Amino acid sequence: MARYLLLRLGDAIPTLFLVLTLVFIAMRILPGDPALAALGDAALPEQLAEFRERMGLNVPLWQQYFNFLGGVLTLDFGRSLLSNTPVLTLIAQNLPYTIELTLAAMAMGIVAGIPMGVLAATNRNKLPDAGVRLFSLIGYAIPDFFLGALLLITFALNLGWFPINGAGTDFASRMHHIFLPALTLAFVKAAFLGRLTRTSLLEVLGKDYVRTARAKGAREKRVIYNHGLRNAMLPITTGLGLSLLSTLSGSVAVELVFNRPGIGRLLIDAIAQRDYAVIQGGVLVFAVFVVLINLLMDLVYVVVDPRVRVS
Amino acid sequence: MALNRRSFLELAAATTALTAIGVQASHAQDADTLRIGIAANGPRHSDPNLTTQGSDNWATEQMYEQLVRPDDGRFALTPEEYLPTLATEWTQSEDAKSWTFKLREGVQFHRNYGEMTSEDVVFSFERAIKEGTNRTILSNIESVVATGPYEIAITLKQPDVNLLGTSIFNNNTSIVSKKAYEEIGGEAFATDAVGTGPYELVQFDPEFGTRLKRHEGYWGDKAKIANVECVYIADTTARTLALLAGDVDIIEAVRAPGWIDSILQRDPTLKIDMTTPGSFNTLHINLTRKPFDNLLVRQALMHAIDRPAVAAALAPMGGVMAGLQPDFFPAGFKTEDLPAELQYPYDPEKSKALLAEAGFPNGISFDSLCSQREDYSSTMLIVQELIRPAGFNMNLIIGDHTAYHADNRSDKNTLAMHSSSYPPIPTQIYFQQLASASEVKSDGSGGGNYSHYGVAMPGIDDLLNQALTASDYETYLDLCKQIELQVLRDLPLIGLSTLGFTAVRSAKVDLGYEVESGYARWRFHRATKTV
């Protein structure tokens, strides 16, 4: 098991290296001048030149690249070109909000999605099934930012039940602030997980061992949960991993619509302003999460399905 | 963890209870706190010497002061209109090169950092000259020295009859505490500076914004509202909703056609505060691109752009520009006061005739780059439609705002729109957008003269140099008016419209004065709020 884990971690290093290199190249290819973005379009040539020198933007690209990689190895991601704040500080300030939002959305999505899938599968072609399928269709079709705005207008502006923006300070206000953004992200998760659970469960419920369990007189609830759902968990686990990744990426739009702090909002601003160091640091955080989630999924496979362990 | 029915119900009950508590906390209205929703993702600096994004200045405007200021809500149109602030009186030598300022006694810095003296003023100016973000405007200052505990002398390299406007009333030359800087340290000072203004910094929070409280030791009338909070909400929908829901009291407006109407439809009680002129939206004609090197083509373009229509489309924020200065600025002209041949009334037929005379009877087609930012894209889309009937087929390539400016700075554009704010110091726009010293370069090392005026054809350099070194104000203004006329004759740069900086305010907030002109920020020290 430890060897398996080490091998997987070893695979992650070239992936992260590749991501960092691609981001570095992509940002330099993208038109736009960080000095101009920082100092404004009325800045004079000498001000721009001095800014580039101060921020190390005037050295050759290969040197900037090695400076950047050297910094990453020592966990020094540089400073924001715009605010001069260390990138690590910016990430540390924003990451908890994104993690909090992602986990809340996942929790909501799981709590709503899996029981919905079970309900649909156990009532195949009946009204609850049709309802869940319709919900899934809407969930897939509706974009995050649109749903977010809709919820914001209805529940925050018109009904006044929730705050319009921010993330809150104490525990109670943080819970209050996170509800609508998490619900926005959870809507799609629930649709996806509901549909996935339905399909997986239906497939399992048609298997011989389920028929055998029923023939042996096992209670229907036991058949569905112990024999059915437990065996349907492998594809659902994959779905959970994918959901987690899409929730993380979806947080970008939601943080913007709900004006919540977070890595997504930090990145959007940094990209618009060509704040290279922040973009590189922010993307690295996302990449590390993707790698870790994939690793987690691999480990869960091993636990859920012993056949993976053998192979 | 298995989630059974009981634990699910417990969790749901807890969430509902917390939500109920939160509703009360969030919607509590506080008459002693004024909240403004700012159109950016977060604050960057609170040190007036380091701000680069305009939105930071909403906070610095409340916290810092200069030696002189214009009255609240307006620009000082002439040197006489500046009010004594941290200086009580000032004199200038006949050649306008030596200036002395007597400082106000008893002015206290925030957080018990003591009384402001000439040492702080000299320190603030020297810091601005050496490390500030806008050093160019201070490059004419030879020295700033203390001539007493409450007096300083400024010596200039060249005369500047407009020193109060060019250098003294400037965000960068706000007065900060030398003692605080030495104690707090340069790096921390960037987000924790100490000034003398009616509000002092309480918290600089990159996620939330800036929190300020009333400066109880303020030398003048103390601020009426105890706290000001600058909240950063970049997304336009979120910002609009925040105002409508009462989460914030004021927001920066979206400067796009129809936005004001739509928010007023939602809540007609809202108040609109707007500066005139606001931004100067100008259109550079690249004189090195054929056929725009031909004066007839440029005249045709000028007659094809219905400039009053451009301004009207941006109503109520848009204003007409007869030349490059708004008509109420000292060097500005009203259209009817211009010579007839420089008025360029909208006339597509004349425009077509001029194009034909220039050798383009079938019109011309060309590409132009444009920023996607709402004020740029909406203005240029209007221009595109206006000039089409006259035979100008402009293919607009709309893209990212940062990339757009970089492309302009690399001389890649044909008709480059530029939006910038200027005080009533006419030489600033001439120097930045028309002087040969600011000519754009293809390697990006040049300035903001995207038309190559003064290089591709003779420009206004001589007149500008004379204006910049004039030792009396009337001569200065006369030279600036000559520049206006020459630019209208040569047409390297077209004044499209002005676009007021706008904020929308809850009817519960009274600013205490009218916003008429000035920069894209104003003070809240006279504001009151009812619940």
Side-chain angles (χ1 to χ4, degrees):
Chain A
M1 187 71 171
R3 189 168 168 270
Y4 175 79
L5 194 65
L6 279 175
L7 276 173
R8 287 288 184 207
L9 273 175
D11 286 348
I13 291 167
T15 310
L16 291 177
F17 174 76
L18 195 68
V19 168
L20 287 178
T21 307
L22 286 176
V23 170
F24 182 89
I25 295 169
M27 286 321 299
R28 268 65 181 183
I29 290 173
L30 210 64
D33 179 355
L36 209 52
L39 300 182
D41 51 343
L44 295 171
E46 50 269 39
Q47 287 174 273
L48 296 170
E50 197 201 324
F51 181 88
R52 290 186 193 111
E53 193 181 333
R54 188 154 36 94
M55 292 298 177
L57 298 169
N58 59 339
V59 299
L61 271 187
W62 63 266
Q63 206 174 325
Q64 287 185 44
Y65 177 67
F66 284 111
N67 288 346
F68 162 56
L69 281 190
V72 171
L73 289 176
T74 53
L75 282 183
D76 174 8
F77 298 101
R79 283 169 176 270
S80 160
L81 298 177
L82 304 171
S83 66
N84 203 32
T85 314
V87 173
L88 215 53
T89 307
L90 289 173
I91 289 173
Q93 283 165 345
N94 285 281
L95 190 58
Y97 293 104
T98 302
I99 292 178
E100 182 182 86
L101 176 63
T102 306
L103 292 181
M106 280 304 290
M108 280 184 178
I110 292 168
V111 166
I114 294 181
M116 259 196 317
V118 174
L119 184 74
T122 51
N123 292 280
R124 192 178 184 184
N125 294 331
K126 290 181 194 161
L127 196 62
D129 187 23
V132 169
R133 276 187 291 161
L134 182 68
F135 172 79
S136 296
L137 200 67
I138 296 170
Y140 279 126
I142 197 162
D144 285 344
F145 68 89
F146 179 73
L147 179 65
L150 209 63
L151 292 176
L152 204 58
I153 290 169
T154 310
F155 296 105
L157 179 65
N158 291 339
L159 295 172
W161 292 355
F162 295 95
I164 292 273
N165 65 77
T169 44
D170 52 31
F171 178 72
S173 74
R174 278 179 92 130
M175 290 279 286
H176 190 207
H177 277 83
I178 208 168
F179 189 81
L180 285 185
L183 184 65
T184 306
L185 287 170
F187 199 77
V188 187
K189 304 310 125 201
F192 173 66
L193 289 173
R195 185 93 194 186
L196 188 67
T197 307
R198 176 188 179 274
T199 312
S200 308
L201 193 57
L202 278 177
E203 198 184 318
V204 171
L205 290 178
K207 298 266 183 195
D208 288 346
Y209 58 84
V210 172
R211 217 171 299 141
T212 311
R214 282 202 176 110
K216 281 165 67 182
R219 282 193 306 155
E220 188 58 18
K221 206 170 170 184
R222 188 179 159 79
V223 170
I224 290 165
Y225 286 98
N226 283 19
H227 296 274
L229 196 54
R230 182 167 289 179
N231 287 300
M233 275 317 282
L234 195 63
I236 295 174
T237 307
T238 316
L240 284 174
L242 294 173
S243 269
L244 194 54
L245 292 177
S246 70
T247 311
L248 200 62
S249 55
S251 66
V252 176
V254 171
E255 281 169 3
L256 212 63
V257 172
F258 287 91
N259 195 44
R260 277 181 65 83
I263 295 286
R265 213 181 72 170
L266 181 74
L267 260 179
I268 291 279
D269 195 30
I271 292 168
Q273 303 287 327
R274 305 294 187 272
D275 196 343
Y276 292 158
V278 177
I279 298 166
Q280 286 156 184
V283 171
L284 182 66
V285 168
F286 271 113
V288 166
F289 269 99
V290 171
V291 166
L292 284 179
I293 291 167
N294 276 317
L295 193 68
L296 193 72
M297 278 163 65
D298 288 344
L299 290 177
V300 172
Y301 273 178
V302 176
V303 176
V304 174
D305 189 352
R307 288 171 298 179
V308 177
R309 209 177 311 164
V310 173
S311 68
Chain B
M1 187 188 84
L3 187 72
N4 58 32
R5 195 171 54 180
R6 179 185 291 263
S7 53
F8 176 75
L9 286 174
E10 283 169 0
L11 187 69
T15 310
T16 311
L18 289 170
T19 301
I21 297 165
V23 167
Q24 287 162 7
S26 165
H27 287 267
Q29 296 295 316
D30 180 1
D32 243 5
T33 301
L34 182 73
R35 267 186 161 196
I36 175 168
I38 292 171
N41 268 332
R44 290 182 192 151
H45 296 106
S46 65
D47 180 346
N49 217 252
L50 296 175
T51 57
T52 50
Q53 68 168 1
S55 53
D56 278 344
N57 294 334
W58 277 108
T60 60
E61 185 74 2
Q62 320 303 327
M63 294 190 283
Y64 308 102
E65 291 173 310
Q66 300 75 19
L67 298 183
V68 300
R69 284 183 64 87
D71 200 358
D72 286 328
R74 58 193 308 271
F75 274 131
L77 295 178
T78 60
E80 291 75 38
E81 289 185 22
Y82 282 98
L83 303 177
T85 309
L86 295 181
T88 50
E89 52 188 284
W90 50 92
T91 54
Q92 69 177 87
S93 62
E94 263 193 27
D95 64 358
K97 282 175 77 174
S98 301
W99 294 67
T100 57
F101 291 85
K102 281 215 167 107
L103 304 181
R104 188 178 296 279
E105 294 185 31
V107 173
Q108 295 297 317
F109 280 112
H110 303 152
R111 287 142 62 184
N112 299 321
Y113 271 102
E115 189 188 5
M116 179 201 73
T117 66
S118 52
E119 213 182 335
D120 299 295
V121 177
V122 171
F123 168 78
S124 300
F125 269 89
E126 285 182 345
R127 206 167 69 100
I129 292 164
K130 283 185 201 142
E131 302 163 19
T133 48
N134 203 353
R135 269 162 285 175
T136 320
I137 56 153
L138 305 174
S139 59
N140 189 31
I141 296 180
E142 177 82 50
S143 67
V144 181
V145 292
T147 45
Y150 299 105
E151 189 181 276
I152 61 144
I154 295 179
T155 309
L156 305 179
K157 293 169 190 163
Q158 290 186 333
D160 183 359
V161 290
N162 256 329
L163 184 75
L164 299 182
T166 57
S167 311
I168 304 297
F169 174 61
N170 185 287
N171 200 39
N172 273 195
T173 46
S174 299
I175 307 306
V176 294
S177 162
K178 183 184 177 197
K179 184 181 168 198
Y181 183 86
E182 285 165 355
E183 278 184 27
I184 294 169
E187 190 166 328
F189 205 68
T191 55
D192 191 24
V194 173
T196 62
Y199 285 97
E200 64 181 59
L201 184 66
V202 175
Q203 187 189 18
F204 181 91
D205 180 347
E207 276 78 56
F208 174 83
T210 38
R211 288 188 171 90
L212 319 175
K213 72 170 185 183
R214 180 167 47 216
H215 174 29
E216 298 296 348
Y218 187 58
W219 60 269
D221 291 338
K222 289 189 185 63
K224 294 193 168 106
I225 295 178
N227 308 292
V228 168
E229 294 182 348
C230 301
V231 191
Y232 285 72
I233 314 175
D235 184 70
T236 52
T237 310
R239 202 163 67 249
T240 309
L241 294 180
L243 178 71
L244 292 172
D247 267 21
V248 295
D249 303 297
I250 304 175
I251 58 166
E252 284 191 297
V254 180
R255 298 196 301 159
W259 187 84
I260 295 282
D261 289 341
S262 71
I263 197 167
L264 284 177
Q265 271 172 9
R266 181 83 202 204
D267 182 354
T269 68
L270 292 172
K271 307 287 176 203
I272 312 293
D273 297 310
M274 193 183 303
T275 64
T276 309
S279 302
F280 292 40
N281 291 350
T282 50
L283 190 66
H284 291 258
I285 305 177
N286 194 330
L287 300 168
T288 64
R289 299 274 169 97
K290 286 189 180 301
F292 292 103
D293 57 338
N294 186 331
L295 179 62
L296 292 171
V297 174
R298 298 200 297 277
Q299 287 172 337
L301 183 67
M302 193 66 164
H303 278 294
I305 301 175
D306 186 352
R307 288 174 292 149
V310 175
L314 298 165
M317 295 175 263
V320 178
M321 291 173 87
L324 295 179
Q325 302 290 327
D327 58 18
F328 73 97
F329 272 26
F333 283 96
K334 284 189 167 63
T335 304
E336 57 269 27
D337 295 337
L338 286 167
E341 73 277 12
L342 300 183
Q343 291 184 6
Y344 300 103
Y346 173 58
D347 189 344
E349 290 309 313
K350 184 165 186 184
S351 181
K352 271 188 202 164
L354 282 163
L355 267 186
E357 191 185 340
F360 304 98
N362 300 319
I364 59 166
S365 294
F366 60 98
D367 291 340
S368 258
L369 306 174
C370 178
S371 163
Q372 66 185 5
R373 205 175 82 179
E374 59 260 352
D375 49 342
Y376 279 79
S377 54
S378 48
T379 304
M380 284 305 280
L381 285 165
I382 294 165
V383 169
Q384 184 188 40
E385 285 310 307
L386 285 172
I387 62 178
R388 200 191 302 278
F392 289 96
N393 182 19
M394 176 167 69
N395 176 34
L396 267 188
I397 302 163
I398 298 178
D400 171 81
H401 187 67
T402 308
Y404 169 73
H405 281 303
D407 285 343
N408 280 347
R409 281 292 178 122
S410 311
D411 196 21
K412 289 183 182 158
N413 213 347
T414 310
L415 293 187
M417 183 184 146
H418 186 96
S419 175
S420 219
S421 168
Y422 294 97
I425 312 292
T427 41
Q428 287 192 4
I429 187 170
Y430 304 150
F431 183 78
Q432 285 182 5
Q433 302 195 26
L434 290 161
S436 56
S438 302
E439 187 201 9
V440 67
K441 301 268 167 48
S442 57
D443 64 359
S445 65
N449 173 1
Y450 308 137
S451 52
H452 300 266
Y453 191 44
V455 180
M457 65 182 286
I460 44 91
D461 290 341
D462 289 343
L463 285 172
L464 180 59
N465 286 337
Q466 288 175 49
L468 286 170
T469 52
S471 56
D472 76 277
Y473 191 66
E474 288 310 313
T475 309
Y476 170 86
L477 277 189
D478 182 54
L479 288 160
C480 290
K481 289 194 167 207
Q482 286 184 49
I483 290 175
E484 285 285 310
L485 295 174
Q486 185 170 333
V487 171
L488 281 169
R489 275 193 296 273
D490 295 340
L491 295 176
L493 186 59
I494 295 174
L496 284 177
S497 76
T498 58
L499 188 62
F501 292 115
T502 308
V504 185
R505 161 168 58 91
S506 156
K508 291 172 183 164
V509 175
D510 179 354
L511 276 184
Y513 59 89
E514 292 289 320
V515 174
E516 295 167 14
S517 63
Y519 287 109
R521 61 203 186 243
W522 37 91
R523 292 215 284 186
F524 299 136
H525 64 139
R526 286 158 68 182
T528 50
K529 183 178 168 187
T530 52
V531 178

